[in-house]
Amino acid sequence: DAGVTQSPTHLIKTRGQQVTLRCSPISGHKSVSWYQQVLGQGPQFIFQYYEKEERGRGNFPDRFSARQFPNYSSELNVNALLLGDSALYLCASSAVSYSNTEAFFGQGTRLTVV
Amino acid sequence: SQQGEEDPQALSIQEGENATMNCSYKTSINNLQWYRQNSGRGLVHLILIRSNEREKHSGRLRVTLDTSKKSSSLLITASRAADTASYFCATEVGAQKLVFGQGTRLTINP
């Protein structure tokens, strides 16, 4: 079975542009979460979606938005890119939305803003 | 903000030795998880320990949890070159929201 897949793997954007990152969860998983990992830091929680509804949001500006589709895939959208948005964006999927369950991460999308 | 803090930030040992990493956190948790990350790629789940558990084993991994001290440790026995990676603890604060520490960079020297 395929794991969590993210696309693209690398991306270079200019300040002020908009970007859309994509994530396909493991088959059967209904929960998708997004994390931002700046170089040298641990990942930081951005969003969690379950059954197409937002279940959690981290401390990120409104420039960050996400959605989940009927097939449980998800997109993360970032508007008006800043240099500080350069990071590895990780998607994680799990079977359920409640606690004590394992999250499976994709390989990430490395975004560079110039 | 980061809830967990790993210690040490970097660790370099010889192949075959044991590696111990520590994690401290601040608030009450549902569980604590350890992840490995190779060269800035995706995170690989290693082990989950629930708040009512004190110790857990998985292969060469041993994790302890002390909720009174709000701390956890990860022991990797008989280290191998392939264990070279960054290791993160993550606490679950609310369902499915993981709060990660800054990680320990482990280097295994041949």
Side-chain angles (χ1 to χ4, degrees):
Chain A
D1 286 341
V4 179
T5 57
Q6 292 188 243
S7 63
T9 55
H10 294 84
L11 200 54
I12 299 175
K13 289 286 189 178
T14 304
R15 272 182 304 173
Q17 285 188 315
Q18 172 264 340
V19 68
T20 298
L21 311 180
R22 295 176 177 82
C23 171
S24 293
I26 292 172
S27 178
H29 285 193
K30 299 180 178 180
S31 176
V32 170
S33 299
W34 287 95
Y35 291 81
Q36 180 198 65
Q37 186 179 21
V38 174
L39 193 63
Q41 304 283 322
Q44 289 209 352
F45 174 78
I46 310 175
F47 287 109
Q48 189 219 355
Y49 277 79
Y50 180 74
E51 289 278 18
K52 295 162 283 182
E53 291 187 2
E54 183 183 301
R55 293 296 185 93
R57 172 185 282 257
N59 188 25
F60 281 81
D62 291 343
R63 299 184 297 107
F64 288 77
S65 62
R67 56 179 175 170
Q68 187 177 32
F69 298 98
N71 66 353
Y72 304 111
S73 66
S74 178
E75 287 183 351
L76 175 69
N77 189 74
V78 186
N79 292 323
L81 285 166
L82 304 173
L83 295 179
D85 296 330
S86 294
L88 181 68
Y89 288 84
L90 295 161
C91 172
S93 81
S94 64
V96 293
S97 67
Y98 54 77
S99 181
N100 290 330
T101 57
E102 180 181 348
F104 295 83
F105 282 80
Q107 291 298 300
T109 294
R110 185 161 298 282
L111 171 66
T112 302
V113 182
V114 297
Chain B
S1 63
Q2 306 280 346
Q3 148 128 290
E5 293 185 3
E6 282 93 341
D7 170 52
Q9 291 188 0
L11 179 62
S12 181
I13 61 174
Q14 295 300 119
E15 194 167 15
E17 293 181 338
N18 295 340
T20 300
M21 288 158 271
N22 302 297
C23 168
S24 61
Y25 57 92
K26 298 173 185 175
T27 64
S28 297
I29 59 172
N30 301 322
N31 62 63
L32 186 142
Q33 304 180 37
W34 286 90
Y35 287 84
R36 185 185 74 225
Q37 185 176 42
N38 291 81
S39 302
R41 302 304 304 280
L43 296 164
V44 175
H45 184 271
L46 296 176
I47 198 165
L48 180 154
I49 185 166
R50 291 178 169 77
S51 59
N52 61 352
E53 297 175 314
R54 292 295 167 260
E55 187 172 315
K56 204 163 184 179
H57 296 256
S58 177
R60 294 183 296 114
L61 306 180
R62 173 178 170 256
V63 168
T64 62
L65 178 64
D66 187 335
T67 53
S68 66
K69 294 182 180 178
K70 292 187 169 58
S71 67
S72 174
S73 68
L74 171 67
L75 168 67
I76 303 174
T77 60
S79 63
R80 305 167 182 169
D83 295 329
T84 294
S86 290
Y87 291 81
F88 294 89
C89 68
T91 51
E92 194 165 333
V93 182
Q96 286 294 305
K97 176 184 175 180
L98 296 175
V99 180
F100 289 84
Q102 294 196 341
T104 293
R105 291 192 315 278
L106 175 64
T107 302
I108 309 300
N109 302 305

